[in-house]
Amino acid sequence: KYQVCRLSSWCEEMLFNHVNVEEVCSILSQAHLLEAKQLEEACLKFIKDNASKVLVTAGFGQLSKDWPQVMLKVSLFMSGIPEARATAAIQAQQGSGCKRKRDDRSSDESPRTERAEN
């Protein structure tokens, strides 16, 4: 009815026109967040083709700090390894993120438990 898929594809296409050395990492993280697969693939290809320029930018450093899951995708793509072959690595990385969240929650719960006992 509203042709959201068509609009989404058009937006991905427009964003790809703005991909450059300085913006590619920011666009890639947003593409990952929004599950824009075509744009994500285009950004990964751009990074691979321009690695010597992209890998020395502040944006790439920020990407590695803030988006470890995306960095794993970058590493796999640059190595020519399909994500389907790297399920163990992807699951391990996703598991590590969940583990940190549980640790955060358990530390948040401890003070509440102490207060309840007092």
Side-chain angles (χ1 to χ4, degrees), residues 8 12 15 23-37 39-41 43 63 66-67 70 73:
S8 178
E12 283 186 57
L15 279 171
E23 298 295 327
V24 67
C25 294
S26 176
I27 294 172
L28 175 59
S29 62
Q30 294 304 310
H32 172 75
L33 188 64
L34 299 170
E35 298 179 3
K37 297 297 181 189
L39 183 57
E40 186 176 57
E41 185 82 16
C43 288
L63 182 72
D66 296 341
W67 294 94
V70 176
K73 288 184 177 190

Side-chain angles (χ1 to χ4, degrees), residues 47-75:
I47 291 171
K48 185 175 184 178
D49 293 347
N50 298 281
S52 64
K53 295 176 185 172
V54 174
L55 274 59
V56 298
T57 64
F60 188 77
Q62 196 67 40
L63 182 72
S64 66
K65 178 183 169 193
D66 296 341
W67 294 94
Q69 188 176 18
V70 176
M71 284 303 296
L72 180 58
K73 288 184 177 190
V74 170
S75 297

Side-chain angles (χ1 to χ4, degrees), residues 86-107:
T87 53
I90 293 168
Q91 288 172 350
Q93 193 282 322
Q94 289 171 343
S96 68
C98 292
K99 195 174 207 174
R100 267 187 257 136
K101 288 180 183 173
R102 271 190 242 124
D103 290 344
D104 290 344
R105 275 189 248 134
S106 64
S107 66

Side-chain angles (χ1 to χ4, degrees), residues 44 48 71-83 85-86:
L44 289 169
K48 185 175 184 178
M71 284 303 296
L72 180 58
K73 288 184 177 190
V74 170
S75 297
L76 292 171
F77 190 87
M78 290 185 71
S79 300
I81 300 170
E83 286 184 37
R85 272 192 45 216

